[in-house]
Amino acid sequence: MNSSNARITAIGSYVPEKRLTNHHLEELVDTNDEWIVQRTGIKERRIAADNEYTSDISIKAVENLMARYQKTVEDVDMIIVCTMTPDFKTPSVSALVQAKLGIKNTGAIDLNAACAGFAYGMHVANGLVSAGLHKKILVIGAETFSKILDYTDRTTCILFGDGGGAVLVEYDELHPSFIASHMGTDGVLGKNLYCTDLSASMFGEDLPVNGFIAQNGREVYKWAVNTVPKGMEALMEKTDLELNEVDWFVPHSANLRIIESICSRSKFPLERAIYSLEHYGNTSAATIPLSLDKGVQEGKFKTGDSLLLYGFGGGLTQAGLLINWTL
Ligand code: UT7
């Protein structure tokens, strides 16, 4: 078991106003609501305005957090934005957040672990705070996937959406939130989910350079349903708890069928899984904070509940955390 001195003290979220329903997508590509719902569980997703970027979503998620928890962020000493859809290659989204929120004395880094990003960001924040290097960290998971989607490609454009969530991780040796973690990477499978920009070749294989997300959905699906249950098992082995004692499962919301399969393989009741895909689609690094906030808004989590967060996706990467809910 890890020793942690870091506590989650607040959460907030934001999604863009524009809704893109499955019926809207029927007008763009050869698809239908029934196929999308049956294969993914997704009914609609949010789409950023033309002039709305990941930094704008991140800032609104932080403003929502501040308003709800009466928290200030001026004494934040590290900002970690987990995203694979930054506004620019440089400056980072975290630097834009620092500027727009006027946080004076803080470090700022972006972290790209695709759909596992937020779980990695929380892991890093816990490490930095527990080691005594930082006292108050903003961890944001935010994406504008609509900017890298090809709306003529029905295999991807039906899946993804835009949104963001933010949490504060603060020093607290008495009531730490973090219990254990488990990470893994299968880089050799990276060609199954990619977004090309500069290089056109991965491990000697040529890929189209067009700035759009592309994937071999079947392969990612198979990898996820085989890998995540094993990762959950490895994570639980680092704790004093059994998986059936965990109160809530908060997986990456890629596809409801993946979540059902993971729950079935892990013998974990689907009713105790919290996901955000039905109305927001797959928002990559934002799915877990959006699901966490949904659990909070719906009054699902009680202080002291154990939550198993599990991110997985591009890389291919995976990251699981067992946390103690402290809000
Ligand atoms: O965050 C991590 C990122 N990625 C993922 O998690 C993706 C994981 N994979 C998946 O979620 C699923 O593989 C998908 C939802 C992407 C696809 O579902 P599937 O059950 O694996 O479908 P498939 O790719 O095997 O395609 C089945 C059929 C094909 O037609 P034929 O060859 O059987 O005639 C596809 O051409 O469905 C067709 N198809 C569609 N039909 C209607 C593919 N996309 C669509 C569509 N609408 N949007």
Side-chain angles (χ1 to χ4, degrees):
M1 207 158 3
N2 296 340
S3 75
S4 169
N5 294 322
R7 184 160 88 93
I8 299 166
T9 59
I11 185 164
S13 68
Y14 170 79
V15 289
E17 269 171 41
K18 185 176 166 192
R19 287 186 150 84
L20 184 69
T21 65
N22 293 348
H23 295 294
H24 289 134
L25 284 165
E26 288 171 1
E27 291 161 23
L28 299 178
V29 287
D30 180 15
T31 192
N32 58 77
D33 176 58
E34 195 191 346
W35 190 96
I36 301 173
V37 172
Q38 202 234 325
R39 304 277 178 143
T40 72
I42 299 168
K43 293 183 177 156
E44 58 180 357
R45 63 290 289 143
R46 298 299 181 96
I47 304 296
D50 288 348
N51 61 352
E52 191 174 35
Y53 292 90
T54 299
S55 66
D56 302 303
I57 289 178
S58 301
I59 287 157
K60 286 188 176 142
V62 176
E63 285 169 348
N64 177 256
L65 171 157
M66 291 193 287
R68 284 164 51 193
Y69 290 85
Q70 285 81 50
K71 285 278 183 188
T72 57
V73 293
E74 61 209 24
D75 53 343
V76 158
D77 56 9
M78 180 60 81
I79 304 167
I80 303 175
V81 177
C82 313
T83 188
M84 58 166 281
T85 49
D87 306 25
F88 308 106
K89 280 203 173 70
T90 192
S92 60
V93 177
S94 51
L96 299 171
V97 169
Q98 180 275 329
K100 291 196 189 164
L101 292 173
I103 305 173
K104 289 204 172 65
N105 299 306
T106 186
I109 48 169
D110 283 9
L111 186 158
N112 179 349
C115 303
F118 184 78
Y120 272 96
M122 294 289 272
H123 177 66
V124 171
N126 173 42
L128 292 174
V129 171
S130 296
L133 298 173
H134 291 269
K135 284 209 151 32
K136 190 171 179 180
I137 301 187
L138 256 180
V139 184
I140 300 166
E143 305 277 12
T144 44
F145 252 67
S146 61
K147 314 277 188 204
I148 59 163
L149 283 173
D150 174 358
Y151 282 97
T152 65
D153 176 6
R154 69 177 184 173
T155 68
T156 52
C157 74
I158 58 128
L159 297 171
F160 296 96
D162 303 338
V167 299
L168 265 181
V169 176
E170 296 187 64
Y171 185 81
D172 186 337
E173 54 190 2
L174 295 179
H175 307 101
S177 303
F178 296 83
I179 302 170
S181 59
H182 175 78
M183 322 269 131
T185 310
D186 290 301
V188 77
L189 300 178
K191 63 181 180 187
N192 291 309
L193 179 47
Y194 60 86
C195 181
T196 50
D197 196 348
L198 299 176
S199 172
S201 168
M202 195 189 298
F203 308 130
E205 199 172 308
D206 287 339
L207 306 170
V209 183
N210 55 21
F212 290 133
I213 190 96
Q215 69 170 349
N216 182 338
R218 280 266 109 200
E219 289 305 315
V220 178
Y221 191 108
K222 275 194 282 179
W223 170 82
V225 300
N226 282 314
T227 308
V228 176
K230 288 185 197 139
M232 290 163 68
E233 215 176 292
L235 171 60
M236 294 314 298
E237 275 169 17
K238 298 175 186 172
T239 77
D240 294 334
L241 286 179
E242 297 294 329
L243 185 57
N244 62 18
E245 295 174 287
V246 169
D247 294 299
W248 301 101
F249 178 38
V250 189
H252 166 48
S253 281
N255 180 331
L256 184 53
R257 305 301 154 234
I258 293 179
I259 297 173
E260 286 169 346
S261 174
I262 293 171
C263 283
S264 154
R265 287 171 189 228
S266 302
K267 299 185 178 52
F268 190 88
L270 184 64
E271 311 79 72
R272 300 211 316 260
I274 309 279
Y275 45 87
S276 52
L277 56 84
E278 189 180 358
H279 297 292
Y280 300 148
N282 180 346
T283 53
S284 189
T287 70
I288 292 180
L290 283 171
S291 301
L292 284 174
D293 206 16
K294 180 176 171 225
V296 170
Q297 310 257 17
E298 292 177 357
K300 294 238 157 79
F301 309 146
K302 294 189 304 295
T303 305
D305 276 0
S306 51
L307 273 60
L308 198 165
L309 279 44
Y310 217 106
F312 55 88
L316 302 178
T317 57
Q318 45 155 330
L321 299 175
L322 188 70
I323 65 169
N324 182 24
W325 193 246
T326 46
L327 288 184

